[in-house]
Amino acid sequence: MSDLLQSLVTLSHELGREDRHLAILGEGNTSARGDDGTFWVKASGSQLGAITEGGFTQVKLDAILELVEREQMTQEEVQAIWPQVMVDAQQKRPSVETFLHALCLSEGGASWIAHTHPVSCNAILCSQLGAEPFMRPLFPDGIVVCGRHPAVVPYVDPGFDLAKAVRTELRRYQDAYGASPKLLLMVNHGITALGKTMQEALNITRMADKWARTLIGTYTLGGPHFMPDHEAARIDSRLDEHYRRSQLTGR
């Protein structure tokens, strides 16, 4: 667990770097799944750029997933259950997005989660176009790192309600594509990277930032020139790109 926590701190610091503009103040949260039925998630109010091991809370995965089966939970009910789902009730209160992390770590098939609010991505997700500009690939590395298709949820109140919407989208995505997404776009909110490794979660986040910056630039010069679907499919299926993808993620 010490190694996992140290890596989670490293990931958080990379995401919280001021020069990257991925998260400011207490924005964003990270998590990683252990092999004992628990996961570690950023505690509420901690800052990614300055977080230490004490800024994370260990939570019981199955206990959170059971709660998500409820039709609804009030804010008061959510606050009351935290001690019951924490491995150590003396630790800090976990992030309001703990439900989202649990779903991405279970139904989403990920082991590492990075949720951030990049200025570049939100410039698009908070616009009249919402997630639409991300719906067609723009360049090969975006496909290699973030996947050919991102998942999308509309704006939903953060916390329990958002997690329910994310679960619906994860299931829809898996039915449509036979796999889980690497990148989840949250309109008027931010992005979530679903990685198999710490490095993959960081790579997805940084590539999504590049993707958004590139999109914004294209709109100053007549608009995006998207890749043809057959070319995008070709990149996604190339054996050399599969190899490069594995090397980038450290697998």
Side-chain angles (χ1 to χ4, degrees):
M1 279 302 177
S2 180
D3 288 343
L4 183 146
L5 269 179
Q6 289 176 9
S7 295
L8 197 49
V9 169
T10 298
L11 171 62
S12 301
H13 287 176
E14 290 292 322
L15 296 169
R17 280 176 43 177
E18 289 190 9
D19 61 313
R20 286 182 171 158
H21 306 290
L22 302 174
I24 65 169
L25 302 178
E27 285 184 345
N29 33 74
T30 52
S31 67
R33 183 171 182 170
D35 55 9
D36 60 351
T38 70
F39 66 99
W40 290 84
V41 64
K42 194 196 85 166
S44 180
S46 298
Q47 295 189 25
L48 290 177
I51 201 168
T52 65
E53 289 188 7
F56 292 94
T57 302
Q58 189 177 16
V59 181
K60 304 168 189 175
L61 180 58
D62 285 346
I64 295 293
L65 295 178
E66 287 179 10
L67 291 171
V68 178
E69 293 300 320
R70 297 186 184 185
E71 286 297 319
Q72 59 184 11
M73 288 187 72
T74 66
Q75 293 183 37
E76 291 75 19
E77 288 173 329
V78 170
Q79 298 306 313
I81 58 89
W82 287 137
Q84 302 171 36
V85 301
M86 295 163 59
V87 173
D88 182 354
Q90 299 304 310
Q91 292 178 337
K92 296 179 179 179
R93 183 181 300 171
S95 167
V96 68
E97 304 295 11
T98 295
F99 299 102
L100 177 152
H101 284 266
L103 287 168
C104 291
L105 291 169
S106 55
E107 295 201 27
S111 297
W112 294 80
I113 304 298
H115 168 54
T116 54
H117 304 167
V119 173
S120 59
C121 295
N122 276 3
I124 298 171
L125 294 173
C126 295
S127 75
Q128 293 292 333
L129 295 178
E132 190 275 331
F134 290 102
M135 291 299 97
R136 295 178 61 189
L138 200 60
F139 53 91
D141 276 0
I143 299 170
V144 172
V145 176
C146 297
R148 187 177 167 194
H149 307 283
V152 180
V153 292
Y155 182 80
V156 180
D157 193 40
F160 184 80
D161 292 341
L162 175 58
K164 299 282 277 191
V166 167
R167 184 176 66 174
T168 297
E169 173 60 2
L170 288 175
R171 293 178 177 179
R172 182 208 65 80
Y173 189 101
Q174 290 159 349
D175 287 342
Y177 302 112
S180 294
K182 294 180 180 293
L183 176 64
L184 172 66
L185 303 173
M186 307 153 83
V187 176
N188 288 104
H189 187 157
I191 68 172
T192 298
L194 291 77
K196 296 291 187 182
T197 66
M198 179 201 80
Q199 190 61 50
E200 184 173 31
L202 178 59
N203 290 350
I204 293 168
T205 304
R206 294 190 64 193
M207 188 59 70
D209 175 52
K210 176 190 173 182
W211 190 354
R213 290 172 184 269
T214 304
L215 274 169
I216 293 169
T218 66
Y219 280 108
T220 68
L221 295 169
H225 183 263
F226 295 109
M227 293 180 65
D229 288 342
H230 71 279
E231 294 290 358
R234 172 64 175 155
I235 291 295
D236 199 30
S237 62
R238 284 178 57 135
L239 294 180
D240 56 347
E241 295 293 13
H242 281 289
Y243 177 77
R244 191 160 69 95
R245 183 179 287 153
S246 69
Q247 294 300 299
L248 287 171
T249 60
R251 289 189 284 160

